[in-house]
Amino acid sequence: MKIIKTNFKGLLIVKQKNNKDNRGNLREIYSKKILKHDKFPFEYCTTSKKNSLRGFHFQLGNFQQAKYVNVVKGKILDCVIDLRQKSKTFGKIYKIILSEKNCLSLYIPEGFGHAYYSYEKLNIVYYKLSNYYKPKLESGLNVLDKGLRIKWPSKNLLISKKDKKLMSLKDFKKNYKSL
């Protein structure tokens, strides 16, 4: 495993080792010796169909979550937005392709909103999180907010009703200022 720094403070790409043979593969997903973040009390896995778009999700207050995102099957366009007001990259978006083939993962520190678009018929995304899910403290930004200026890979998007109702970045800045 190898850590690759980005130009967003604390946002890291993790290049994983994938051991293949004629039976399949074994992929090293996480090592606290490499990532040096040993507090992930909560994990979950999502499945998404092709053209699914999820996010931008985050939790508020003392329940913010650092996330370690891995694609076990399929391919996603993973996007994060820096919502830390004192950050040099506040309001900026970072995008990366994560897939079972490229064996890249993304460590997202607290203070970011997270979204992703699914390319394949079946996409399985595995997360490690630094805090438990608290529905009452969940919030997010609308992935279709024109102020974000994101060109998603498809116009035929599958988005939940809940995600369509999320606020704009402008409203976030007005209501919360930062995470």
Side-chain angles (χ1 to χ4, degrees):
M1 294 176 69
K2 179 182 172 186
I3 298 288
I4 304 164
K5 292 183 178 182
T6 68
N7 59 347
F8 287 64
K9 185 178 181 186
L11 183 67
L12 304 171
I13 300 166
V14 180
K15 176 65 176 158
Q16 299 165 344
K17 186 175 182 185
N18 194 21
N19 301 291
K20 292 182 179 183
D21 66 18
N22 62 351
R23 301 167 296 169
N25 66 2
L26 177 141
R27 186 165 119 193
E28 295 175 20
I29 290 179
Y30 171 75
S31 169
K32 71 179 181 178
K33 290 179 186 177
I34 305 294
L35 192 54
K36 298 185 173 113
H37 191 300
D38 60 353
K39 294 187 180 178
F40 289 117
F42 186 59
E43 299 177 16
Y44 64 83
C45 186
T46 63
T47 61
S48 296
K49 297 176 182 178
K50 185 175 183 166
N51 295 325
S52 292
L53 183 55
R54 298 178 182 262
F56 283 94
H57 300 142
F58 54 84
Q59 289 193 164
L60 301 166
N62 293 333
F63 287 92
Q64 291 182 42
Q65 297 171 312
K67 297 177 180 180
Y68 183 53
V69 183
N70 296 275
V71 174
V72 179
K73 180 163 183 59
K75 176 181 169 181
I76 66 170
L77 174 61
D78 202 301
C79 299
V80 296
I81 183 166
D82 191 345
L83 298 172
R84 305 168 297 175
Q85 190 175 36
K86 294 180 182 176
S87 171
K88 292 178 184 176
T89 52
F90 176 71
K92 295 197 175 167
I93 293 171
Y94 183 86
K95 298 190 284 189
I96 186 171
I97 299 286
L98 303 179
S99 73
E100 67 183 298
K101 289 181 183 172
N102 70 13
C103 296
L104 296 178
S105 293
L106 194 62
Y107 172 76
I108 307 163
E110 292 177 357
F112 282 77
H114 178 247
Y116 69 86
Y117 168 83
S118 298
Y119 283 100
E120 304 291 334
K121 186 176 180 180
L122 174 63
N123 302 273
I124 302 173
V125 182
Y126 168 74
Y127 293 80
K128 285 182 161 296
L129 300 113
S130 66
N131 216 332
Y132 293 97
Y133 173 64
K134 298 283 186 191
K136 291 182 180 179
L137 295 172
E138 178 186 31
S139 192
L141 300 179
N142 190 316
V143 289
L144 300 178
D145 176 7
K146 296 204 184 304
L148 297 175
R149 294 185 281 229
I150 300 173
K151 284 191 169 189
W152 296 106
S154 174
K155 294 195 187 290
N156 185 21
L157 301 167
L158 299 173
I159 305 173
S160 72
K161 289 177 186 177
K162 183 172 125 182
D163 282 358
K164 286 179 182 179
K165 293 178 183 177
L166 293 173
M167 71 185 113
S168 67
L169 179 60
K170 184 179 177 181
D171 288 339
F172 172 83
K173 289 178 180 178
K174 187 170 83 178
N175 296 328
Y176 297 103
K177 296 191 176 37
S178 78
L179 287 181

